Amino acid sequence: MIFKQALRRELSFTTGGVFLVLVTIMVTTLVIRILGYAANGSVNPEDALVLIALATLGYLAVLLTVSLFVATLIVLVRWYKDSEMIVWFASGLSVTNLIRPILQFATPLILIIALLALFVWPWANRESTLISQRFQQRDDLSMVSAGQFQESAKAERVFFIEELDVDKSEVKNIFVADSKNGRLSIAVSSTGYIENAAGGEKSIVLHNGRRYEGYPTEPDFRILEFNEYSTKIRSKDALAPAPRDREKTVNELLDDPNPAAINPNRAELLWRIGLPLMALGLVLIAIPLAYVNPRLGNYTAMFYAVLIYLIYSNLLNLTQNFVSQGKISVFVAIWPIHLLALLIATILIRNRINSSLKWWRRQLPAAMTRK
């Protein structure tokens, strides 16, 4: 009981520490990536923190899976290195007696991984897409700020307004540059106003200004003076885009009218179900994989752990692609990888039990001789 309590306590602290490290690395990577998108104009800089939080929530299931696997391995490797496993074996216990307390600790986390993969992952992806789409579908008027050059959503128009009176819909010292079909048009005016047209469309009307069309070096360059010039602002409603596979809920993935055809929905469902099963398989593999000779004290097991995780994860993604392309059925693809992981864990545990018995048989005659 003392050993089991110590095992759970160390697993809790180590899992928490590994998880915090992975989350920190993930957040740092997301900050760099999303700020790059904001700098390129793909997302609103004001939404950067929200997008980082949503992306982090979406990847929590994967991070928790890796944390559980690495923490189990680190704790058992330390127990072997510090000869605590010798005390465990000397108490008449074997490697198989580690399975129950470790699974008791891992089961709640595996259930959390399942909930995150099934529900939080699609919700976070959906919200991120809606925020990005809302920014892309904004109208040009929402970007106009006094004293700043602003680019339109499609990068075909540049606005500059020195003064803006939102209540009176009046603007002063306006600069509008349009680029359509390879032709540049620039309109400048000292005064103007915002006009609301039928159907929800809006326009900026410029008074007593000039319009420059074309390039000065070309023969068709023109300078026009106008009393009134109107440039339409395309007001768009932020329509909800059709959800991608990774954004669909479990019910939407299951409600498929044609499950026999090439089906990305079934492939996405396969990945979500496979993630908690992968967490279980990795924990079982970590128990025998953590063996370290106390006299050598090396950490070769960590190298094998990274290799096993990469192979396991890539195989899961590969089967997802096969199901998405219609090469295999989801019912056929859902069990071989996880069954193979269970088989590998069983073989390694049996091999570790036999090695322990051989060690005790070698130690028993020496102990009897000393007596």
Side-chain angles (χ1 to χ4, degrees):
M1 182 64 67
I2 295 176
F3 271 93
K4 291 181 179 179
Q5 291 177 354
L7 179 62
R8 294 193 193 99
R9 183 172 59 253
E10 288 198 35
L11 285 173
S12 300
F13 289 140
T14 308
T15 304
V18 174
F19 181 72
L20 287 178
V21 171
L22 293 178
V23 168
T24 303
I25 296 173
M26 174 62 68
V27 170
T28 304
T29 305
L30 290 173
V31 166
I32 296 173
R33 187 176 68 183
I34 292 178
L35 288 182
Y37 291 155
N40 293 332
S42 300
V43 298
N44 190 352
E46 296 179 357
D47 296 331
L49 291 178
V50 178
L51 292 174
I52 291 170
L54 289 172
T56 304
L57 283 175
Y59 286 105
L60 282 183
V62 177
L63 297 180
L64 199 55
T65 300
V66 178
S67 301
L68 185 59
F69 178 44
V70 173
T72 304
L73 204 60
I74 289 176
V75 170
L76 294 183
V77 165
R78 192 196 67 78
W79 276 32
Y80 275 108
K81 186 175 180 295
D82 295 345
S83 301
E84 293 188 24
M85 289 302 298
I86 295 178
V87 180
W88 180 275
F89 295 143
S91 303
L93 302 175
S94 66
V95 177
T96 55
N97 296 107
L98 288 171
I99 298 176
R100 184 174 180 180
I102 289 178
L103 287 183
Q104 287 177 346
F105 168 79
T107 299
L109 295 180
I110 293 174
L111 292 177
I112 293 175
I113 291 171
L115 293 176
L116 290 172
L118 292 174
F119 303 105
V120 178
W121 162 259
W123 175 81
N125 290 327
R126 181 66 172 171
E127 290 298 318
S128 298
T129 301
L130 287 176
I131 291 174
S132 300
Q133 290 288 338
R134 192 179 300 119
F135 179 71
Q136 294 295 331
Q137 293 175 345
R138 70 199 185 281
D139 57 26
D140 294 341
L141 183 62
S142 65
M143 302 179 300
V144 174
S145 299
Q148 295 182 4
F149 283 94
Q150 298 287 348
E151 190 177 46
S152 66
K154 293 185 178 181
E156 63 182 14
R157 182 179 302 174
V158 176
F159 285 95
F160 177 83
I161 294 178
E162 186 175 357
E163 295 183 21
L164 173 63
D165 190 337
V166 179
D167 296 331
K168 298 181 180 180
S169 298
E170 294 180 353
V171 291
K172 293 182 179 180
N173 296 335
I174 312 107
F175 170 92
V176 181
D178 281 312
S179 178
K180 293 182 180 179
N181 301 322
R183 186 170 180 82
L184 180 64
S185 174
I186 297 175
V188 292
S189 175
S190 59
T191 59
Y193 65 93
I194 300 173
E195 181 182 56
N196 295 318
E201 292 186 348
K202 297 180 181 180
S203 302
I204 292 183
V205 180
L206 285 68
H207 288 156
N208 302 323
R210 286 187 177 184
R211 183 181 177 187
Y212 304 89
E213 292 185 357
Y215 296 92
T217 58
E218 296 180 355
D220 58 348
F221 177 72
R222 295 191 302 171
I223 301 177
L224 307 174
E225 293 186 357
F226 57 83
N227 294 327
E228 185 175 281
Y229 173 74
S230 177
T231 176
K232 185 180 293 185
I233 298 175
R234 297 173 179 85
S235 180
K236 304 175 183 177
D237 295 329
L239 300 177
R244 297 176 295 173
D245 305 324
R246 61 191 300 176
E247 300 165 5
K248 294 181 180 179
T249 64
V250 177
N251 291 333
E252 290 174 341
L253 293 176
L254 291 176
D255 294 340
D256 196 328
N258 191 14
I262 296 176
N263 199 318
N265 291 344
R266 292 290 188 264
E268 175 67 20
L269 190 61
L270 172 70
W271 184 85
R272 295 187 195 178
I273 297 175
L275 201 59
L277 294 177
M278 183 175 72
L280 177 61
L282 290 175
V283 168
L284 294 176
I285 291 175
I287 296 174
L289 187 65
Y291 172 77
V292 173
N293 191 331
R295 296 180 180 179
L296 299 178
N298 55 18
Y299 286 85
T300 311
M302 301 303 294
F303 169 77
Y304 291 117
V306 173
L307 188 62
I308 289 173
Y309 173 77
L310 291 177
I311 294 175
Y312 204 151
S313 178
N314 287 328
L315 285 176
L316 185 60
N317 292 331
L318 187 63
T319 54
Q320 181 186 7
N321 291 334
F322 285 162
V323 173
S324 178
Q325 297 170 8
K327 294 181 179 180
I328 56 176
S329 171
V330 64
F331 300 105
V332 176
I334 197 170
W335 58 268
I337 300 176
H338 309 294
L339 184 62
L340 178 62
L342 181 61
L343 182 61
I344 291 174
T346 303
I347 293 174
L348 291 176
I349 290 174
R350 288 177 61 88
N351 181 63
R352 193 58 56 210
I353 292 174
N354 294 333
S355 300
S356 302
L357 291 176
K358 291 178 182 178
W359 182 82
W360 279 110
R361 288 171 183 172
R362 290 196 303 267
Q363 296 298 320
L364 185 59
M368 295 178 64
T369 302
R370 285 196 297 270
K371 289 181 179 181

